[in-house]
Amino acid sequence: MNDFSAAQRSRVTMLDVAEHAGVSKASVSRFIGDDRALLSDAIARRIEQSIAELGYRPNQMARGLKRGRTRLIGMLVADIRNPYSIAVMHGVETACRRHGYSLVVCNTDRDDEQERQHLALLRSYNIEGLIVNTLGHHRDELDELKREMPLVLVDRKVDGLDGDMVGLNNPQAIEMALEHLQQRSYRDVLMVTEPYDGTSSRIERVGSFQKQISQREDMRGAVLETGSSLANDLQTFLNTSDSGPKALFCANGVAALACTLALREIGCQLFEDVGLIALDDLDWYPLVGSGITALAQPTEEIGERAFECLLKRLRGDDEVARTLDFAPVLIERGSTRRQAE
Amino acid sequence: MNDFSAAQRSRVTMLDVAEHAGVSKASVSRFIGDDRALLSDAIARRIEQSIAELGYRPNQMARGLKRGRTRLIGMLVADIRNPYSIAVMHGVETACRRHGYSLVVCNTDRDDEQERQHLALLRSYNIEGLIVNTLGHHRDELDELKREMPLVLVDRKVDGLDGDMVGLNNPQAIEMALEHLQQRSYRDVLMVTEPYDGTSSRIERVGSFQKQISQREDMRGAVLETGSSLANDLQTFLNTSDSGPKALFCANGVAALACTLALREIGCQLFEDVGLIALDDLDWYPLVGSGITALAQPTEEIGERAFECLLKRLRGDDEVARTLDFAPVLIERGSTRRQAE
DNA sequence: TTATTGTCTGAAACCGGTTTCAGGAAACAC
DNA sequence: GTGTTTCCTGAAACCGGTTTCAGACAATAA
């Protein structure tokens, strides 16, 4: 019968170090913390040696208890399998590490109840700050949390919650996409998005799209949500009598995958019959047909800046809520390489 | 000037609840824990109401301190941007949640020093168990850790560390791939792998490949590592005078991406000039050419079983180290749809 | 009736750290 | 030589919980 709890209990503790070095716990604590300056060289050396000899490692849980600083940052992610989320998360983690923080990631799988539970969980672990990339229902809980710790929204806005926000400049992205499509002489554009689902960035993108395309005289637009009838819907779009060359505009990477699969299903000759531009730049875009034109988001940077926002707040910054909007980068590939007229 | 630390300190504590309900801390603790049976109905009701009224949430850090149970599981991932790791992680997380545990993921970015730091970190947070998907250098630290808590290796073996292991049945996977290629009458197979890098599963796969292909009389094999000269190397392979139809066998998803990009670079007509089968099944495989044939790993299940292994150990199981090998599933697509002769 | 058992409860010690506070020793001023 | 100041140190309280232990009380047995 193994007994890990006994093993755990046998770990070297601060008291062990103190006794071994013949000093008090307080001195050891000072050595561990930032107060080393308070100690005489002689004592510091003794402690240092004892720590090395015993292989002592301070217990962060215990530290966090009294100190209130756990050096833990929480991140709530709606869908951990979405490449965008992964990339942002990687950025956050990098920044965390650079500043001595650790990241606890909770995946809600787009489930409201799980969001609630994870929120409670993170709170109970005394995280110091929270990065949110979910729908942010449970407004009351978020509000409460926001009083306890700084909070940054990534790629989402939550109604009535005035936290910092980091994400894409959606109007600018739409503008860039439409400009590119127009230059390439596409005239009839179908924006394909995942179901809105209350996701603010999706709503924003579609809104911007509709507004901007109506302002371009020679272009026409429509919007479609992914779903079981996607292939049919695309077929219909392609069949309607022309007002000009057609293109699809996928509002994110997941939609791009769904579209490309659907186009293949209906036997559409990609990029001859229809143009395609997609938000996000996934690693397989170059591989499909002659490549999918992308508007890449600076995901790593978004993640890093999200953490830095948090850090500023933790250090006492109390400016009004900030919004950081990043510009996408156009990466042209074969899927929009129609010649300008 | 905001003051989150003050806010944090103002959280409702167990003492608040106790006073509000007119009982002792001990009783509240019993209510919170599993000892509710010890309490009289009257007291339990009073506590329950006070908790609801004050919105009390127990502090997990403090609980973990005395109890030794943090309900935290750690996971060490070599590369969080590898789809395989993500999928496994998702499985682990699902299983964790089902059993009331939470997951702390640390990404080492394939860096040994980061592995060491993260290991120390996880330990200092009193995690109860560890899932390792890294190179596992720092054998000494892992050994030490293994005495304190159960440990499961995923897709890796670490020399001399006799922990539980969960992963793919590599010989069987190779066997299935070669059998399939042979049936489709490919004769000359190049296995493409990421640099070995000490990763046991890569070494195992290559080893199995070399052994098995030498046993098939009519087939010939070679091995290639991805890298800057990949395109050239593939060109060379394709140019060598034939012993028969050629195929590539990518040892994982990352290699598959690299290969497909390289083939495109050298203008190779995928799947007419050369067959392709890849381990792992990524969501874009169907989109490339006529689709890439895959050997899918049951990643979710691998993750879940890894956690369950841990759980068994935590509950006192002390059998010898176990190895769980999963079988892959063949998903045939256009890239090997050469007619049998 | 008294002795015994069992059930519920709270005081206090404890987990492993941090922090306050008071005091001793050395350094400085007068 | 005394009076201050400064520097370093340890005892003890504290963080927010859990757990042990002993006592109060009711219920049962003798």
Side-chain angles (χ1 to χ4, degrees), chain B residues 168-234:
Chain B
L168 187 69
N169 185 330
N170 286 309
Q172 183 184 4
I174 303 295
E175 156 95 36
M176 287 171 68
L178 292 186
E179 188 60 34
H180 177 70
L181 290 175
Q182 190 165 32
Q183 272 182 21
R184 292 288 173 274
S185 67
Y186 292 100
R187 290 294 171 262
D188 208 352
V189 183
L190 180 66
M191 169 168 257
V192 182
T193 175
E194 287 188 271
Y196 298 73
D197 221 16
T199 307
S200 67
S201 54
R202 290 181 199 155
I203 296 170
E204 247 185 33
R205 284 172 197 175
V206 170
S208 275
F209 172 77
Q210 286 172 321
K211 183 174 157 208
Q212 289 188 35
I213 201 146
S214 71
Q215 290 168 349
R216 293 179 185 253
E217 290 185 357
D218 51 351
M219 294 183 88
R220 288 187 4 187
V223 176
L224 180 61
E225 290 182 34
T226 59
S228 55
S229 67
L230 181 59
N232 274 332
D233 296 340
L234 289 183

Side-chain angles (χ1 to χ4, degrees), chain B residues 31-309:
Chain B
F31 184 88
I32 297 297
D34 295 335
D35 305 330
R36 199 172 306 198
L38 293 180
L39 297 179
S40 66
D41 285 359
I43 286 212
R45 255 196 306 279
R46 289 224 303 278
I47 295 177
E48 187 166 20
Q49 196 180 339
S50 294
I51 288 180
E53 228 164 282
L54 299 175
Y56 168 68
R57 303 214 126 269
N59 178 333
Q60 296 295 345
M61 296 277 176
R63 298 188 89 180
L65 195 52
K66 172 80 181 184
R67 219 183 194 183
R69 304 189 58 193
T70 55
R71 297 297 198 157
L72 245 33
I73 295 292
M75 181 166 179
L76 221 48
V77 177
D79 180 3
I80 209 177
R81 284 174 295 191
N82 181 326
Y84 171 85
S85 299
I86 299 281
V88 171
M89 179 173 142
H90 188 257
V92 172
E93 212 219 357
T94 304
C96 277
R97 182 167 49 236
R98 193 159 47 226
H99 291 92
Y101 280 78
S102 302
L103 185 66
V104 183
V105 179
C106 291
N107 174 34
T108 66
D109 269 338
R110 304 167 180 285
D111 179 297
D112 270 3
E113 176 54 20
Q114 280 190 38
E115 177 176 332
R116 215 184 50 72
Q117 284 185 17
H118 281 312
L119 231 36
L121 179 95
L122 288 172
R123 197 155 155 230
S124 77
Y125 278 110
N126 278 5
I127 58 167
E128 293 184 39
L130 183 63
I131 294 175
V132 177
N133 177 34
T134 63
L135 289 180
H137 297 158
H138 309 293
R139 263 279 312 293
D140 42 349
E141 309 230 2
L142 279 175
D143 270 337
E144 209 173 323
L145 221 62
K146 191 166 177 332
R147 244 168 281 129
E148 290 177 17
M149 67 185 72
L151 192 149
V152 173
L153 297 170
V154 171
D155 191 45
R156 309 287 158 113
K157 295 184 176 31
V158 173
D159 259 8
L161 195 73
D162 63 337
D164 296 334
M165 283 178 276
V166 181
L168 187 69
N169 185 330
N170 286 309
Q172 183 184 4
I174 303 295
E175 156 95 36
M176 287 171 68
L178 292 186
E179 188 60 34
H180 177 70
L181 290 175
Q182 190 165 32
Q183 272 182 21
R184 292 288 173 274
S185 67
Y186 292 100
R187 290 294 171 262
D188 208 352
V189 183
L190 180 66
M191 169 168 257
V192 182
T193 175
E194 287 188 271
Y196 298 73
D197 221 16
T199 307
S200 67
S201 54
R202 290 181 199 155
I203 296 170
E204 247 185 33
R205 284 172 197 175
V206 170
S208 275
F209 172 77
Q210 286 172 321
K211 183 174 157 208
Q212 289 188 35
I213 201 146
S214 71
Q215 290 168 349
R216 293 179 185 253
E217 290 185 357
D218 51 351
M219 294 183 88
R220 288 187 4 187
V223 176
L224 180 61
E225 290 182 34
T226 59
S228 55
S229 67
L230 181 59
N232 274 332
D233 296 340
L234 289 183
Q235 188 69 268
T236 307
F237 170 69
L238 295 175
N239 287 345
T240 51
S241 63
D242 295 345
S243 59
K246 292 178 159 59
L248 301 179
F249 178 8
C250 295
N252 72 7
V254 177
L257 179 64
C259 271
T260 328
L261 285 167
L263 287 177
R264 159 172 295 261
E265 188 183 321
I266 61 180
C268 169
Q269 271 306 320
L270 255 177
F271 322 141
E272 290 183 20
D273 303 341
V274 62
L276 179 59
I277 186 170
L279 254 163
D280 290 342
D281 184 31
L282 307 192
D283 48 17
W284 52 268
Y285 279 6
L287 294 172
V288 181
S290 51
I292 297 177
T293 296
L295 284 168
Q297 298 194 49
T299 45
E300 289 279 328
E301 193 177 356
I302 288 176
E304 292 180 23
R305 296 303 289 274
F307 174 79
E308 282 161 17
C309 260

Side-chain angles (χ1 to χ4, degrees), chain A residues 219-241:
Chain A
M219 293 184 87
R220 286 187 7 186
V223 176
L224 180 62
E225 290 182 32
T226 58
S228 55
S229 66
L230 181 59
N232 272 333
D233 296 341
L234 289 182
Q235 187 68 269
T236 307
F237 170 71
L238 295 175
N239 287 346
T240 52
S241 62

Side-chain angles (χ1 to χ4, degrees), chain A residues 37-328:
Chain A
L38 293 180
L39 297 178
S40 68
D41 285 359
I43 286 212
R45 255 195 308 278
R46 288 227 302 280
I47 295 177
E48 188 166 20
Q49 195 181 339
S50 295
I51 287 180
E53 227 164 283
L54 299 175
Y56 168 70
R57 303 215 125 269
N59 178 333
Q60 295 295 345
M61 295 277 174
R63 298 189 88 179
L65 196 51
K66 172 81 181 182
R67 219 181 193 186
R69 302 189 59 194
T70 54
R71 297 296 198 157
L72 245 33
I73 295 292
M75 181 167 180
L76 222 47
V77 176
D79 180 4
I80 210 178
R81 284 173 295 190
N82 182 327
Y84 172 85
S85 299
I86 301 277
V88 171
M89 180 173 139
H90 188 257
V92 172
E93 211 219 357
T94 304
C96 275
R97 182 168 48 235
R98 192 159 50 226
H99 292 92
Y101 281 78
S102 303
L103 185 65
V104 183
V105 178
C106 291
N107 174 34
T108 66
D109 269 338
R110 303 165 181 284
D111 179 298
D112 271 3
E113 176 54 21
Q114 280 191 38
E115 177 178 332
R116 214 182 51 70
Q117 284 184 16
H118 281 312
L119 231 36
L121 179 94
L122 288 172
R123 199 156 154 228
S124 76
Y125 278 109
N126 279 6
I127 58 168
E128 292 183 42
L130 183 62
I131 294 176
V132 177
N133 177 34
T134 62
L135 289 180
H137 297 158
H138 310 293
R139 267 277 313 292
D140 42 347
E141 310 231 359
L142 279 175
D143 270 337
E144 210 174 324
L145 220 63
K146 187 162 181 335
R147 243 167 281 133
E148 291 177 15
M149 67 185 73
L151 191 149
V152 173
L153 297 170
V154 171
D155 191 46
R156 309 287 158 114
K157 294 184 176 30
V158 173
D159 259 8
L161 195 72
D162 64 337
D164 295 335
M165 283 178 276
V166 181
L168 187 69
N169 186 331
N170 287 309
Q172 184 184 3
I174 303 294
E175 156 96 35
M176 288 172 67
L178 293 186
E179 189 60 34
H180 178 72
L181 290 175
Q182 190 166 32
Q183 273 181 20
R184 292 288 174 274
S185 69
Y186 292 100
R187 289 297 171 260
D188 207 352
V189 183
L190 180 67
M191 169 168 255
V192 182
T193 175
E194 289 189 271
Y196 297 73
D197 223 16
T199 308
S200 68
S201 53
R202 289 179 199 157
I203 296 170
E204 247 184 33
R205 285 173 196 175
V206 169
S208 276
F209 172 76
Q210 285 172 323
K211 183 175 155 208
Q212 290 189 33
I213 201 148
S214 71
Q215 291 168 348
R216 293 180 185 253
E217 291 183 356
D218 52 349
M219 293 184 87
R220 286 187 7 186
V223 176
L224 180 62
E225 290 182 32
T226 58
S228 55
S229 66
L230 181 59
N232 272 333
D233 296 341
L234 289 182
Q235 187 68 269
T236 307
F237 170 71
L238 295 175
N239 287 346
T240 52
S241 62
D242 294 345
S243 60
K246 292 178 159 62
L248 301 180
F249 178 7
C250 296
N252 72 9
V254 177
L257 178 65
C259 271
T260 328
L261 285 168
L263 287 177
R264 157 172 297 260
E265 189 183 321
I266 61 181
C268 170
Q269 269 307 320
L270 254 177
F271 321 139
E272 290 182 20
D273 303 341
V274 64
L276 178 60
I277 186 171
L279 255 163
D280 290 342
D281 184 30
L282 307 193
D283 47 18
W284 51 268
Y285 279 7
L287 294 173
V288 181
S290 51
I292 298 176
T293 294
L295 284 168
Q297 299 194 50
T299 46
E300 289 279 328
E301 193 177 356
I302 288 176
E304 290 179 26
R305 296 303 289 274
F307 174 79
E308 282 161 17
C309 260
L310 232 45
L311 198 59
K312 264 192 194 161
R313 298 294 184 188
L314 283 171
R315 294 188 171 159
D317 179 358
D318 197 24
E319 297 296 306
V320 291
R322 264 181 296 264
T323 301
L324 262 57
D325 281 334
F326 287 85

